[in-house]
Amino acid sequence: MAEIREAPKRDWRRGWAGPLVVFVLLVLGTLWWLGVFHSAQVLEETGGARTYIFHTFQGTYRQMVKARGKLSAQLPADMRGHTEMTMMENETGSGGDAMVHARIGYLVDSGEATPPGWSRGEWPAQRVARVEVSANAAIASWKAYSALSDWGKARGMPLHYPLFEMLGPGNRYVLLMPLVKSPASS
């Protein structure tokens, strides 16, 4: 009669290193893909004039992010590839519940027609602090504002509004702050 053999019992302490290494590599790969390891650089430059179309927004930062995501559907199909922009006019509070007053929309060429229901604005050519980061928009925003704040503190210059954000193409994020505190013209 054939002898019945029992399968050896596995010791839970053996074989954990491989899955742990795979898990750590997956986490690090995801963080790299999101841009967590990319640094933000702040440069002083003379920024060019930019033309944009926008909708005015007032509410919390979280609501603004949702509203910005819904704008593309309101845009004519031939304009959907344009770079997204946000001009933060003022902000009270901090974090996702901060109350913001902003213009959200898209950069356009100066000769392009303004679609019905949209307003048109100009960001003037001026000396700016420019921050550029290549990362997911949420992470890039956090890194850019932090870098700009640190840069300003080192120069005795607080953040002031308006702040101009450009998102895209891809994971490109640019934040502009005028070096001279003056309102941007409409």
Side-chain angles (χ1 to χ4, degrees):
M1 180 166 180
E3 193 175 309
I4 298 176
R5 298 177 74 189
E6 285 187 37
K9 292 185 179 184
R10 297 205 58 125
D11 185 355
W12 67 270
R13 294 170 290 192
R14 292 184 181 203
W16 60 269
L20 178 64
V21 168
V22 169
F23 174 76
V24 168
L25 289 174
L26 285 172
V27 168
L28 290 174
T30 302
L31 293 175
W32 174 82
W33 176 70
L34 289 173
V36 170
F37 303 120
H38 297 165
S39 61
Q41 297 178 348
V42 182
L43 303 169
E44 288 183 40
E45 67 180 29
T46 300
R50 291 175 170 80
T51 304
Y52 57 92
I53 56 172
F54 69 95
H55 286 291
T56 302
F57 175 83
Q58 192 163 355
T60 67
Y61 187 81
R62 284 188 183 104
Q63 291 169 334
M64 184 183 71
V65 171
K66 289 179 184 176
R68 197 166 48 197
K70 295 177 183 176
L71 280 182
S72 177
Q74 300 174 23
L75 203 60
D78 61 331
M79 297 179 101
R80 290 196 180 141
H82 289 284
T83 300
E84 287 184 50
M85 60 71 57
T86 302
M87 188 173 80
M88 302 288 283
E89 294 174 329
N90 63 38
E91 180 177 12
T92 55
S94 63
D97 293 323
M99 293 300 293
V100 297
H101 185 70
R103 295 177 177 186
I104 54 177
Y106 295 88
L107 293 180
V108 294
D109 294 328
S110 58
E112 276 185 284
T114 304
W118 290 78
S119 299
R120 186 180 203 84
E122 294 286 328
W123 175 264
Q126 60 190 313
R127 293 286 299 160
V128 295
R130 175 190 174 101
V131 187
E132 189 162 347
V133 183
S134 179
N136 174 278
I139 292 170
S141 170
W142 169 71
K143 285 180 165 275
Y145 277 90
S146 178
L148 187 59
S149 178
D150 292 346
W151 178 87
K153 284 178 186 173
R155 286 160 182 73
M157 178 189 301
L159 287 179
H160 56 270
Y161 296 89
L163 298 171
F164 197 80
E165 302 176 334
M166 294 174 282
L167 298 95
N171 282 339
R172 183 172 177 257
Y173 178 92
V174 177
L175 175 64
L176 304 175
M177 179 185 78
L179 291 177
V180 176
K181 190 174 182 176
S182 65
S185 60
S186 307

